[in-house]
Amino acid sequence: MDGISEADLLKIHQMALEERQSTVTSLLNQQKLPEALAESLRKPPTGITDEKVKNDSADLVGEVLLQVKDAQIKQCVENLTPEQVDTLMKYIYKGLATYNNCNTYLKWHEQVKAVGGLGCIVRCLAERKSVLDTN
């Protein structure tokens, strides 16, 4: 892990998550949904095995997705960078695996696929450092 211990990496991801949660909450309160989405996708917790941090990060993204109205989804996705689009697709699959709010996740999946193409799905499923699992 390039000289960083698992414990140190976990602390970094925990601090980054706390910062994202605070910023996203503020942006959601201001109805700045595209900005809240981009912020929720910043610094995803990859390279760690702590499920709580990964699940809390996924919950944060899910919270944003639930607040965006259907008519705003396309605009939100189009404002993302290609890396953010790929990260969002990973969170969509993680959200679908929970069996909660699947209708919302499927609407987002459609728009993310339209912007990111099939390559987005392939990269999401093939990525070794993932928000989906502990490896």
Side-chain angles (χ1 to χ4, degrees):
M1 258 189 280
D2 300 329
I4 299 176
S5 72
E6 170 81 19
D8 289 341
L9 190 57
L10 178 59
K11 286 179 188 175
I12 291 168
H13 281 297
Q14 287 171 329
M15 290 188 305
L17 173 61
E18 290 171 8
E19 179 185 336
R20 282 194 321 274
Q21 288 171 325
S22 174
T23 304
V24 166
T25 299
S26 175
L27 291 168
L28 288 175
N29 289 337
Q30 299 171 48
Q31 291 298 305
K32 295 182 176 180
L33 301 176
E35 294 89 346
L37 178 60
E39 178 64 22
S40 71
L41 297 170
R42 194 172 56 84
K43 298 180 186 173
T46 57
I48 61 170
T49 58
D50 187 274
E51 286 301 310
K52 180 172 178 8
V53 172
K54 289 184 179 222
N55 290 335
D56 288 349
S57 292
D59 290 345
L60 181 63
V61 174
E63 180 182 335
V64 175
L65 300 185
L66 288 171
Q67 290 206 25
V68 176
K69 292 179 177 41
D70 292 352
Q72 299 171 305
I73 294 174
K74 183 177 181 180
Q75 175 200 1
C76 287
V77 175
E78 287 175 344
N79 286 336
L80 298 175
T81 66
E83 275 186 357
Q84 290 171 321
V85 170
D86 286 357
T87 301
L88 178 55
M89 185 63 86
K90 292 173 189 177
Y91 280 117
I92 289 169
Y93 282 122
K94 187 166 181 77
L96 285 168
T98 67
Y99 302 106
N100 295 320
N101 302 306
C102 287
N103 192 34
T104 298
Y105 286 109
L106 287 172
K107 289 176 189 175
W108 278 91
H109 186 277
E110 178 183 5
Q111 292 300 323
V112 172
K113 181 183 168 277
V115 171
L118 290 176
C120 175
I121 295 171
V122 172
R123 287 186 297 277
C124 170
L125 297 176
E127 178 71 34
R128 293 181 66 77
K129 289 185 177 179
S130 177
V131 299
L132 300 175
D133 56 40
T134 59
N135 294 329

